[in-house]
Amino acid sequence: MSTAVDDDLWSAIGDPTRRRMLDLLLGSGSGTATSLSEHLPVTRQAVAKHLAVLDRVGLVHAATSGREKHFRVDETQLARAVAQLEEVGSSWDSRLQRIKRLAETIEKQRQETENER
């Protein structure tokens, strides 16, 4: 399976504050900008802007209740991000294994050359 990497999604996840927000939302099930700001070193307004970014890429969805918006993580979109990360990791594992084999071959040839002297 080839999963295309979504640059917007990974740009959103790339921010440590937004990753912490996702962790908080996953832990509590939902949250508001106000409740999240109580656990983060940023203002409520900054949290609201971060939530807008996460909402734009589909990682969270808001439901309005009175004057507050309650945000929940979209688990389908999060699973998509995890699948992309796993595919990238697997690809890099394969590349690193090829590099390791090349390095071992070069080292073996170097040792054989030294032993011939």
Side-chain angles (χ1 to χ4, degrees):
M1 172 177 114
S2 179
T3 306
V5 174
D6 182 333
D7 290 333
D8 291 337
L9 177 66
W10 284 101
S11 178
I13 293 173
D15 183 275
T17 300
R18 289 192 283 265
R19 286 194 306 272
R20 178 73 179 121
M21 290 170 64
L22 289 170
D23 287 341
L24 290 168
L25 290 171
L26 286 167
S28 64
S30 71
T32 64
T34 301
S35 67
L36 291 170
S37 68
E38 294 170 358
H39 302 282
L40 297 166
V42 296
T43 65
R44 185 204 169 285
Q45 291 79 12
V47 168
K49 289 180 182 181
H50 283 296
L51 285 168
V53 171
L54 293 171
D55 187 41
R56 188 173 58 246
V57 299
L59 280 167
V60 299
H61 296 292
T64 303
S65 176
R67 295 179 60 197
E68 292 275 5
K69 285 186 178 182
H70 291 266
F71 291 86
R72 292 183 151 288
V73 173
D74 182 313
E75 294 190 21
T76 301
Q77 186 72 328
L78 185 60
R80 184 172 160 254
V82 168
Q84 289 177 16
L85 183 59
E86 287 173 348
E87 187 167 320
V88 168
S90 176
S91 173
W92 273 103
D93 286 346
S94 296
R95 291 174 185 163
L96 291 172
Q97 285 299 318
R98 285 194 303 264
I99 290 169
K100 180 182 176 192
R101 286 191 301 272
L102 282 169
E104 289 170 345
T105 299
I106 291 168
E107 179 62 19
K108 183 179 176 184
Q109 290 172 349
R110 186 188 67 74
Q111 288 177 355
E112 288 173 357
T113 300
E114 282 183 5
N115 289 339
E116 290 174 0
R117 292 182 190 172

